[in-house]
Amino acid sequence: MSDNRTIDAVLERHGRDGTHLVQILREIQEQLNWLSPATLTRIADGVGWPRAQVSGTAAFYSFFHTRQRGKYCVLWSDNITDRMLGNTDLMDAMCKKLWLEPGRVSEDGLVSVNTTSCTGMCDQGPALLVNYRAVTGMTLQRVDEMAELIRRETPVAEWPADWFAVQDNVRRAEILLAGNFAPGSALRAAHQRAEVDGLSASNNRSFRESLPQGIAGPMAMLDEIQRSRLRGRGGAGFSTRFKWEACRNAPLRADQERIVVCNADEGEPGTFKDRVLLTSYADLVFEGMTVAAYAVGATRGFLYLRGEYRYLLEPLQAVLERRRAAGLLGKRILDIPGARFDIEIHLGAGAYVCGEESALIESLEGKPGRPRVRPPFPVTNGYLDQPTIVNNVETFASAALVALHGGDWFAAIGTKQSTGTKILSVSGDVARPGLYEYAYGVTVRQVLADCGATDTLAVQISGPSGMCLADDEFDRKIAFEDVPTAGAFMVFNTSRDMFEVARNFSHFFAHESCGFCTPCRVGTTLVRNIMDKIANRHGSPYDINELFKLHRLMQGASHCGLGNTACNPVFDTLNKFRPAYEHRLLSLDYEPAFDLDAALSEARQMTGRDDAGAHFAAHSPDEAKA
Amino acid sequence: MKTSDNEVSAQANAREARVKADRPAEAKTSDNEVSAQANAREARVKADRPAEAKETPTFLLDGEEISFTPGQTIIQAATAHGVYIPHLCWHPEFKAHGSCKMCTVKVNGRFGSSCTMAAQAGMTVENRTTELDDKRRTLLQMYFVEGNHFCPSCEKSGNCSLQATAYELKMVSPHFDMFYPDRAVDASHPDILLDFNRCIMCSLCVTASREVDGKNVFSMGGRGLLGRRIHISSESGKLADTDFAATDRAASICPVGVILPKRKGFAIPIGERKYDKLPINRQVTEVTP
Ligand SMILES: Cc1cc2nc3c(=O)[nH]c(=O)nc-3n(C[C@H](O)[C@H](O)[C@H](O)COP(=O)(O)O)c2cc1C
Ligand code: SF4
Ligand code: SF4
Ligand code: FES
Ligand code: FES
């Protein structure tokens, strides 16, 4: 098929609808390998959007290539946990084997090797993506074999299947990971409850909009959610009932509908529980979304799946198909006339900020994932300006269980302010990495014991934007009232250097800042540069003060949570692991970041020289002699 | 370390900020409630009394009472009173963009962007405090190091909002190491020169071209410090290949020296330009440019 026919076929499939732009770009790139200027023009003309908007959107997402890319594109996951498993050496070895510099396409256009933000395989790293397919458990031997397959131009589809195997690693199950959920049971329970007491409950609320035709009892469902005291699992712990009710009560204009969005962007480094929920518990998640739709009166749903989990697209679509066939999705759910709800899957394309709910909605609308100015909030003005709830994958899974067993059952688990269970994604220096589900209120120490962590120095909870706990805080509890978490639990033993941990995270934020607001766009890079300066032993106490100053600016002035929390890891480690910084500082008051010798590196590269005469020898008398 | 206590509570604030930022419904209701109350009060007042005696809602801005019309943002109300709140991406003719964060104020003790926050009766707003001006100066320094600004050779010098704001906030050096980014100059258009070395990403050209000119010549695309930039609506990426005209509103909107007319160098001599005559804080009600 010619390029134009490929492009037109994708455009047709999406009804030439610009709001599908991110999906259109991805599908076309999957077939044409990259998005050339001519391709972007044809897409812009096809959807009738300004060309600058189409090229600007393509440029926003890390996974879109607006320059020719190699036939093979290898991206090493670069979370600190991958680092701890030796990804740097493996990537170097791969580059050597392929005669490559990281980040550059080989001269024959065959391959490029680079890093990418955490791919959500921290319990089975070092991980990478090859042509956006996830590979786990990299070893030196696999590097050799992979390089050979690339050199022989063997299609990725013919590579050994076990390289692409992704394990669930469920180590501890309570209610969610127990895996005994019967599809449809929660919806049936919700519906039956309505006939018992739900109709009267809803009739008492005459100020509320009338119930969607044919579905009785959404109010009863909301009442159960209220009784369950369920709070969002995406990090902020916002009351699910408040969010759902605000959406339900938001007025609809003509031609509008309510929207349910499941946030499966899971971009926070060290988090991988949503991947497992969607791999082996997808019915629970989709049923939770359907329960939510029932409660708020929504007719359209989206699963926003991060691009790193592209391999889950077809299996998830099969689950949706099966649920449609079973009458659990579609136009007549549970055979109730008018009970209408369906779910579409949208894939992200490598942008952590798209996990922020308003940025996620922008992305669903085919735009760059830029957080919106709020208010208005998504519950009133969300997807295409319609009332929208955005919830985390685990929140929906929990909601399904609330529908099935009732709010009181759920509220009896956990603590008073944090009901139910929390799934932790445990990785790092532990004997048994994987998923651990606990009732809220478990201590950090208990988790460490269960996963076989010894000599633990620190735990990074809830990812880089969360908090770093030192050993005197291990008796603290996982709960909204003490240590809230979106799920990441990265463990570092006493052999680890917490400065390097924070430096890795500072690179993450600089790479992921969307660039909309000045404090975050420039601040994240300034912080990264200072951390690199300290790592290169050019730092001084002055730089530490600069870090504090930037932290204070960014956390107050940034537009969204990314900038507000970007300095947390630096700040926490500065307070709790100060010596890790101090032993790197020069004792001077001020030291320029400029390094005369480093400045010559480009000249050395061009002349192919690396002998002593090509270096400034001021620091080392030995080198001068040589 | 003596800062550590402050830092700890600052951190708690940051967490709270994230939690709050993520709390739609709660914040929403309270905002609505307050403004709904204000509206209701106003309506009542209007109904009960003759028009002359109507009571307008007010808030305190650095101790000064500022009246406002419900629906106005803090910066709109302040501007209407001739009070200067530093800003770069806001322009009175357009909906706020909210990206530069120069207009950050403290509302009842919490930071917020005055160009996007609605004024509410009874709120206390801090504006030109040392704390806030220090933050603004740091933001200005960020602009100066992320782009390439050489004011003495810039046609915009004296008419430039960034330069004038830097004078106003007594910024004497860029402070941080310069990034010296590699940014493009586009001289393809017969009448207009684009020098992106000076772009501050305010998006005003994007908005003006879309909303006033109906053309969509520009779009803000890409991500992060190195990626984010103005994209131009042509396959070549050149301005000459668009329908941009020197008479477009977007041709005169840029607050800095990116979008410049060709063949008009230094028509008004340095020393007689807009901010040479009066500092920016005394030209509050002048529409820029
Ligand atoms: C930078 C940033 C990234 C985020 N990433 C995610 C994410 O990957 N998954 C998620 O569920 N929530 C994420 N959130 C939180 C969402 O904005 C939102 O609060 C959440 O999806 C709400 O769901 P919940 O109420 O069920 O927790 C992120 C927030 C920010 C500021
Ligand atoms: S745009 Fe303004 S700040 Fe930048 S160089 Fe020109 S005059 Fe100076
Ligand atoms: S070109 Fe000028 S108006 Fe456009 S975004 Fe840059 S600074 Fe703003
Ligand atoms: S909101 Fe993305 S950079 Fe600040
Ligand atoms: S003027 Fe308010 S953010 Fe720029």
Side-chain angles (χ1 to χ4, degrees), chain B residues 2-288:
Chain B
K2 71 177 188 324
T3 47
S4 72
D5 276 354
N6 286 345
E7 297 298 345
V8 170
S9 69
Q11 197 194 24
N13 284 341
R15 276 202 197 101
E16 212 201 17
R18 175 153 183 199
V19 169
K20 293 222 168 96
D22 276 310
R23 275 192 185 173
E26 224 171 47
K28 176 80 193 163
T29 16
S30 65
D31 283 359
N32 271 352
E33 254 160 38
V34 175
S35 68
Q37 271 169 10
N39 282 340
R41 199 178 321 124
E42 231 219 349
R44 220 181 310 118
V45 167
K46 274 195 189 134
D48 289 358
R49 297 188 207 171
E52 321 78 82
K54 82 165 184 235
E55 206 177 86
T56 42
T58 61
F59 64 92
L60 279 184
L61 183 62
D62 283 344
E64 186 182 341
E65 195 158 9
I66 304 277
S67 58
F68 66 96
T69 342
Q72 271 185 326
T73 58
I74 296 172
I75 207 171
Q76 282 172 331
T79 303
H81 281 259
V83 176
Y84 175 66
I85 299 181
H87 60 273
L88 286 171
C89 71
W90 179 69
H91 189 289
E93 286 169 18
F94 301 105
K95 190 166 179 273
H97 190 238
S99 64
C100 75
K101 303 299 171 193
M102 284 296 293
C103 71
T104 300
V105 291
K106 245 179 163 172
V107 178
N108 300 332
R110 282 184 56 194
F111 294 109
S113 307
S114 60
C115 69
T116 55
M117 278 184 89
Q120 280 168 14
M123 59 171 30
T124 303
V125 182
E126 291 170 46
N127 174 25
R128 300 302 302 272
T129 61
T130 313
E131 180 195 22
L132 287 165
D133 276 357
D134 282 351
K135 288 190 194 298
R136 292 177 178 134
R137 203 174 304 107
T138 306
L139 288 172
L140 283 165
Q141 288 164 330
M142 288 178 166
Y143 276 118
F144 276 90
V145 300
E146 89 162 320
N148 296 310
H149 297 269
F150 306 103
C151 300
S153 65
C154 178
E155 162 59 23
K156 196 76 175 187
S157 189
N159 291 325
C160 170
S161 302
L162 178 64
Q163 187 192 44
T165 310
Y167 277 121
E168 169 66 21
L169 286 154
K170 302 193 171 49
M171 186 197 112
V172 292
S173 82
H175 183 83
F176 303 110
D177 294 325
M178 302 293 288
F179 292 169
Y180 296 124
D182 200 356
R183 293 207 196 149
V185 174
D186 179 351
S188 64
H189 194 278
D191 304 318
I192 295 288
L193 172 78
L194 299 177
D195 186 344
F196 287 111
N197 284 295
R198 304 163 184 151
C199 180
I200 58 169
M201 327 247 168
C202 67
S203 284
L204 284 171
C205 57
V206 178
T207 315
S209 180
R210 183 180 61 228
E211 286 175 14
V212 183
D213 309 325
K215 288 188 182 176
N216 287 303
V217 170
F218 304 109
S219 181
M220 189 56 86
R223 191 175 85 211
L225 182 87
L226 291 177
R228 192 166 170 83
R229 66 175 176 88
I230 287 289
H231 284 238
I232 293 171
S233 262
S234 61
E235 190 170 309
S236 63
K238 295 283 178 229
L239 192 64
D241 297 330
T242 68
D243 53 356
F244 192 74
T247 48
D248 285 0
R249 181 68 182 98
S252 62
I253 194 80
C254 183
V256 292
V258 179
I259 308 177
L260 295 168
K262 284 186 170 172
R263 297 177 298 278
K264 277 226 190 74
F266 299 92
I268 300 172
I270 301 268
E272 292 168 29
R273 295 180 166 201
K274 185 170 182 189
Y275 299 115
D276 296 333
K277 295 182 189 146
L278 270 183
I280 195 166
N281 74 339
R282 294 184 48 205
Q283 303 196 40
V284 177
T285 46
E286 305 271 304
V287 168
T288 333

Side-chain angles (χ1 to χ4, degrees), chain A residues 25-65:
Chain A
L25 291 170
R26 176 183 59 79
E27 288 173 26
I28 290 174
Q29 176 173 287
E30 278 183 7
Q31 296 178 64
L32 302 182
N33 217 34
W34 71 299
L35 301 162
S36 72
T39 300
L40 292 175
T41 304
R42 197 170 182 91
I43 295 172
D45 292 346
V47 300
W49 279 17
R51 193 188 180 288
Q53 195 175 332
V54 173
S55 66
T57 303
F60 181 86
Y61 295 93
S62 296
F63 289 2
F64 291 150
H65 298 257

Side-chain angles (χ1 to χ4, degrees), chain A residues 231-240 243 261-268 273-274 352-358 360 371 374 390-396 465 486 509 560-563 565, chain B residues 18 21-24:
Chain A
R231 296 171 68 172
R233 277 23 180 178
F238 186 71
S239 152
T240 304
K243 190 183 281 187
V261 179
C262 178
N263 186 345
D265 196 52
E266 193 155 72
E268 192 72 48
K273 48 139 190 127
D274 294 341
Y352 163 66
V353 72
C354 287
E356 194 283 335
E357 59 182 14
S358 66
L360 185 151
R374 302 182 304 172
V390 181
N391 280 112
N392 177 255
V393 174
E394 191 181 349
T395 311
F396 284 120
S465 71
F509 285 117
C560 81
L562 193 157
T565 57
Chain B
R18 175 153 183 199
D22 276 310
R23 275 192 185 173

Side-chain angles (χ1 to χ4, degrees), chain A residues 158-237:
Chain A
E158 293 167 26
W159 291 13
D162 59 319
W163 293 4
F164 303 92
V166 177
Q167 306 304 324
D168 281 358
N169 290 333
V170 173
R171 312 280 184 185
R172 190 176 194 285
E174 293 269 352
I175 55 176
L176 291 168
L177 299 177
N180 49 7
F181 177 74
S185 58
L187 277 171
R188 277 187 200 97
H191 186 57
Q192 273 156 19
R193 194 171 295 119
E195 283 161 5
V196 182
D197 60 4
L199 276 176
S200 66
S202 58
N203 286 342
N204 291 337
R205 291 170 171 78
S206 55
F207 62 95
R208 286 179 185 159
E209 172 188 355
S210 62
L211 303 173
Q213 197 198 353
I215 299 183
M219 288 311 158
M221 189 57 232
L222 274 179
D223 289 345
E224 290 305 324
I225 292 287
Q226 172 163 21
R227 267 203 285 278
S228 76
R229 299 200 303 277
L230 175 61
R231 296 171 68 172
R233 277 23 180 178

